[in-house]
Amino acid sequence: MASERTLSIIKPDATKRNLTGAIIDRFERRGLRIVAQKRLRLTTEQAERFYAVHAERPFYRSLVRFMTSGPVVVQVLEGPDAIAVNREVMGATDPAKAAPGTISKDFAESIEANSVHGSDSAETAAQEIAFFFSALEIDP
């Protein structure tokens, strides 16, 4: 198992309900280490660029509005198979389809307000990490 990095975003619905610590605890209990982290409020332009891959989808505008509705916590998680572990801890995007004990099942309010985002591949992780963090901001 190679160590890898992935991006995690704790979304506005979760930060608004003070779930940041509970969510971070789940990642750390599964062996993921936070090597970079910051709390910020995305501008409309930043959210549009970050989610540009979804620009043609019907939910794009709603997603941008939601992601700019409050602060988010962006973090780089590191560990063996970090992408797969992160996605397992997060659970399915749709909380109705998420497994018990996952973040989505326990904390999500809807498919959109599902509390967390995580990279889906090594290539996406590299792009998403670079979107939010410079190399100087990540613990080597």
Side-chain angles (χ1 to χ4, degrees), residues 89-96 98 102-109 114 116:
V89 172
M90 290 186 332
T93 302
D94 182 348
T102 62
I103 292 168
S104 183
K105 189 65 160 186
D106 294 345
F107 300 133
E109 297 177 315
N114 61 0
V116 287

Side-chain angles (χ1 to χ4, degrees), residues 41-112:
R41 188 159 187 158
L42 292 170
T43 65
T44 299
E45 179 184 298
Q46 289 168 327
E48 287 172 344
R49 282 190 297 128
F50 186 77
Y51 288 106
V53 67
H54 300 302
E56 301 303 318
R57 295 202 164 150
F59 60 82
Y60 176 70
R61 282 281 134 221
S62 175
L63 177 60
V64 168
R65 275 192 305 277
F66 168 65
M67 291 302 291
T68 58
S69 69
V72 298
V73 175
V74 292
Q75 51 196 359
V76 179
L77 305 176
E78 181 180 77
D81 293 323
I83 296 166
V85 171
N86 180 37
R87 295 189 70 76
E88 185 181 317
V89 172
M90 290 186 332
T93 302
D94 182 348
K97 298 177 182 174
T102 62
I103 292 168
S104 183
K105 189 65 160 186
D106 294 345
F107 300 133
E109 297 177 315
S110 67
I111 290 175
E112 185 175 79

